[in-house]
Amino acid sequence: MRIIVEEDYQSMSKKAALLVAGQVLLKADTVLGLATGSTPLGMYKELVRMYQEGEVDFSAVKTFNLDEYYLLPPDDLQSYHYFMQENFFKHINIRAENIHLPDGMAADIEEECMQYEKAIEASGGIDLQVLGIGENGHIGFNEPAESLNVYTGLVNLTEETIKVNSRFFSSMEEVPQKALTVGMGTILKARRIILLASGEKKAKAIRDTVCGQVTTQVPSSFLQLHPDVTLILDQAAASLIVD
Ligand code: GLP
């Protein structure tokens, strides 16, 4: 595991954007695995700036997002479809047909998850997976549990995650309790992985990711088993790592 500690959120975001842009420069038809949440927002903003200044071209890039809420329509302001359009896709030259997110509204969820896995495989697999991390060590929406999903599937969110997510909804009842998420096995199949974390609230999860036992109770700890993972942290998120 490579660990890069940056001074603050802004320099963390810039470093992450440079790594993504570098990947696209090396391979124009890169397949990116993308994450939502507040953490990668700065990275997306920087990538948009780089695109506007002609430093990176997304015309051949394909993307697969990690997750989407179950039964939240794509035009809902809290859906990950909406988030990605607003914060990234509508500002760059990516082709609509190259954008993929799991469809939480699909009539046949099992079929949807199977097709999502097939589409990732047909694209040649994820070249670079961008990850955030939940305060409980979840990755995508792979929550701490007795066992983890290998493939994309429908999962129940933990009470903790529902509480953390409630900040974006007007009432607790509106917060989705289920989501579709790419499974841990598929995430670990990505050729390279970068994980971004910022702020004190993530410090414990980062400590457990780096120094803890590999356990399904901390899904991010499985990243220890991957040969090419880079954590990009700000100082607060890195503050509990012990040598
Ligand atoms: C959600 C997403 C995760 C993300 C996490 C952290 O649970 N499903 O992919 O990593 O939130 O979000 P934030 O970056 O806002 O702390």
Side-chain angles (χ1 to χ4, degrees), residues 35-40 66-67 69 80 131-134 138-141 161 165 167-168 202:
T36 49
S38 28
T39 310
L66 277 173
D67 44 17
Y69 289 118
Y80 288 168
L131 296 176
I133 185 168
H138 75 219
I139 294 289
F141 269 132
T161 297
N165 290 347
R167 69 190 193 279
F168 298 114
K202 301 291 171 72

Side-chain angles (χ1 to χ4, degrees), residues 136 143 156-165 172:
N136 60 3
E143 297 276 34
N156 293 314
L157 304 183
T158 58
E159 257 176 60
E160 187 183 352
T161 297
I162 294 170
K163 219 166 114 195
V164 171
N165 290 347
M172 208 59 187

Side-chain angles (χ1 to χ4, degrees), residues 4-217:
I4 299 175
V5 182
E6 289 291 324
E7 187 73 27
D8 54 22
Y9 178 75
Q10 219 179 337
S11 44
M12 179 202 80
S13 303
K14 208 164 177 171
K15 189 59 67 78
L18 281 171
L19 285 175
V20 173
Q23 168 68 39
V24 175
L25 285 178
L26 284 173
K27 183 172 181 264
D29 60 350
T30 282
V31 181
L32 293 176
L34 294 179
T36 49
S38 28
T39 310
L41 273 176
M43 178 196 78
Y44 289 134
K45 216 168 157 193
E46 179 63 12
L47 282 169
V48 169
R49 187 201 62 76
M50 292 178 85
Y51 163 70
Q52 285 166 346
E53 293 182 14
E55 294 167 17
V56 59
D57 171 15
F58 293 96
S59 60
V61 168
K62 288 195 179 115
T63 63
F64 288 87
N65 263 78
L66 277 173
D67 44 17
E68 178 56 289
Y69 289 118
Y70 179 53
L71 295 181
L72 214 55
D75 57 353
D76 188 292
L77 302 193
Q78 298 310 332
S79 78
Y80 288 168
H81 278 77
Y82 188 83
F83 175 101
M84 290 307 299
Q85 275 304 327
E86 286 304 302
N87 294 304
F88 193 37
F89 297 145
K90 80 174 192 191
H91 306 288
I92 59 170
N93 65 336
I94 190 164
R95 296 199 175 131
E97 66 269 27
N98 286 343
I99 296 172
H100 306 83
L101 284 98
D103 178 5
M105 300 292 287
D108 185 340
I109 288 291
E110 220 171 289
E111 177 65 20
E112 166 64 16
C113 294
M114 225 165 69
Q115 291 307 331
Y116 203 70
E117 284 287 333
K118 277 195 183 158
I120 293 176
E121 224 173 281
S123 76
I126 308 283
D127 291 305
L128 175 63
Q129 175 68 57
V130 178
L131 296 176
I133 185 168
E135 290 173 31
N136 60 3
H138 75 219
I139 294 289
F141 269 132
N142 293 285
E143 297 276 34
E146 292 285 303
S147 64
L148 297 170
N149 282 354
V150 176
Y151 301 113
T152 304
L154 180 65
V155 295
N156 293 314
L157 304 183
T158 58
E159 257 176 60
E160 187 183 352
T161 297
I162 294 170
K163 219 166 114 195
V164 171
N165 290 347
S166 67
R167 69 190 193 279
F168 298 114
F169 295 84
S170 41
S171 74
M172 208 59 187
E173 290 68 54
E174 281 174 46
V175 193
Q177 310 218 338
K178 291 176 188 239
L180 268 66
T181 184
V182 170
M184 283 302 297
T186 306
I187 292 172
L188 290 169
K189 257 165 77 177
R191 294 180 187 94
R192 289 171 69 202
I193 297 178
I194 61 174
L195 182 145
L196 277 58
S198 153
E200 239 173 87
K201 280 189 178 163
K202 301 291 171 72
K204 186 178 166 302
I206 290 300
R207 182 198 63 198
D208 294 348
T209 305
V210 177
C211 328
Q213 276 184 357
V214 176
T215 164
T216 59
Q217 297 302 334

